[in-house]
């Protein structure tokens, strides 16, 4: 018996297809994905802690702090999507909070990457574009945290366009431009 509702969010309901098989077979397949996901989380955590540590010793290198925060948000994304590892630790976690964390971790990466890229490539990243990205990202974040999922879920297409447009801008408008101008670390 499955009880599924689809009235609270545009993407509510079953998140994945249904698989039939023995308990052991299905458990072994999902266990490998969980192990891989935990390895990725560990790698991102080490990178994030390393950059935070570098920032603590060189306060002028603010890009290390921004990248550390990006890593933490990426970990949040990893534990709230897919198999939702966070629910293994907190099985009674409120669905609304889980969806808020999931959406924030998806939509919050663009303004954080904008701050990171701006701190590295100020001459290739206009301030007004950075501010536009930050303002729209802040509005989206406030909507996600302070309104219920059925409300902010109606604007999901707008959020996804925001990610697409400004993600492409950060990649090709800032990073590619910095690479062409041979800015330090831009190519990597």
């Amino acid at each position: 018996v499955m009880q599924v509702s689809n009235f609270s969010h545009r993407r509510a309901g079953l998140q994945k297809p249904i698989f039939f098989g023995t308990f052991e077979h299905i458990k072994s397949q999902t266990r490998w994905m969980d192990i891989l996901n935990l390895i990725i989380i560990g790698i991102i955590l080490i990178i994030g802690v390393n950059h935070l540590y570098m920032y603590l010793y060189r306060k002028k290198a603010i890009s290390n702090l921004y990248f550390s925060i990006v890593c933490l948000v990426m970990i949040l994304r990893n534990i709230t999507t897919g198999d939702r590892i966070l629910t293994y630790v907190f099985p009674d976690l409120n669905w609304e909070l889980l969806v808020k964390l999931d959406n924030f971790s998806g939509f919050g990466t663009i303004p954080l990457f904008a701050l990171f890229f701006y701190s590295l490539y100020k001459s290739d990243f206009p301030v007004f574009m950075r501010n536009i990205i930050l303002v729209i990202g802040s509005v989206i974040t406030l909507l996600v945290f302070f309104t219920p999922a059925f409300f902010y879920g109606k604007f999901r297409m707008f959020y996804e366009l925001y990610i697409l447009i400004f993600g492409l801008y950060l990649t090709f408008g800032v990073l590619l431009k910095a690479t062409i101008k041979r800015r330090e670390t831009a190519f990597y």
Side-chain angles (χ1 to χ4, degrees), residues 9-182:
H9 196 270
R10 286 184 73 172
R11 290 180 44 210
L14 290 176
Q15 299 294 316
K16 293 184 174 187
I18 299 171
F19 293 99
F20 291 101
T22 64
F23 174 75
E24 290 302 319
H25 177 71
I26 293 173
K27 183 176 153 186
S28 70
Q29 286 200 324
T30 58
R31 180 170 288 154
W32 283 112
M33 290 308 294
D34 289 343
I35 290 170
L36 178 64
N37 204 4
L38 288 171
I39 290 170
I40 291 169
I41 289 169
I43 291 168
I44 295 170
L45 181 63
I46 290 168
I47 293 169
V49 169
N50 180 53
H51 279 78
L52 181 60
Y53 190 68
M54 288 190 305
Y55 168 73
L56 293 175
Y57 279 97
R58 290 182 45 211
K59 300 271 186 186
K60 289 183 180 180
I62 192 80
S63 62
N64 288 324
L65 176 64
Y66 292 141
F67 193 74
S68 178
I69 295 169
V70 167
C71 288
L72 293 175
V73 172
M74 289 172 66
I75 290 171
L76 182 63
R77 180 83 179 150
N78 227 326
I79 64 174
T80 58
T81 59
D83 281 343
R84 297 180 167 177
I85 292 173
L86 189 62
T87 60
Y88 295 177
V89 179
F90 303 105
D92 295 327
L93 186 66
N94 180 294
W95 176 85
E96 184 85 30
L97 177 61
L98 183 66
V99 172
K100 285 179 186 297
L101 293 173
D102 175 8
N103 284 304
F104 164 72
S105 64
F107 306 137
T109 54
I110 295 295
L112 290 171
F113 268 116
L115 288 170
F116 173 66
F117 285 143
Y118 183 78
S119 68
L120 292 174
Y121 312 114
K122 287 184 174 122
S123 59
D124 300 311
F125 195 165
V127 176
F128 74 93
M129 283 303 292
R130 183 204 64 185
N131 291 343
I132 288 172
I133 293 171
L134 294 179
V135 166
I136 295 173
S138 298
V139 168
I140 290 171
T141 300
L142 290 172
L143 277 174
V144 166
F145 277 116
F146 294 109
T147 62
F150 76 86
F151 178 78
Y152 71 80
K154 294 176 184 177
F155 305 103
R156 184 164 186 85
M157 183 64 74
F158 171 74
Y159 304 153
E160 290 170 352
L161 281 173
Y162 165 77
I163 290 172
L164 175 69
I165 291 167
F166 290 113
L168 289 172
Y169 175 76
L170 290 172
T171 305
F172 298 108
V174 177
L175 198 54
L176 183 63
K177 187 169 148 185
T179 303
I180 291 170
K181 291 183 175 183
R182 299 183 189 273

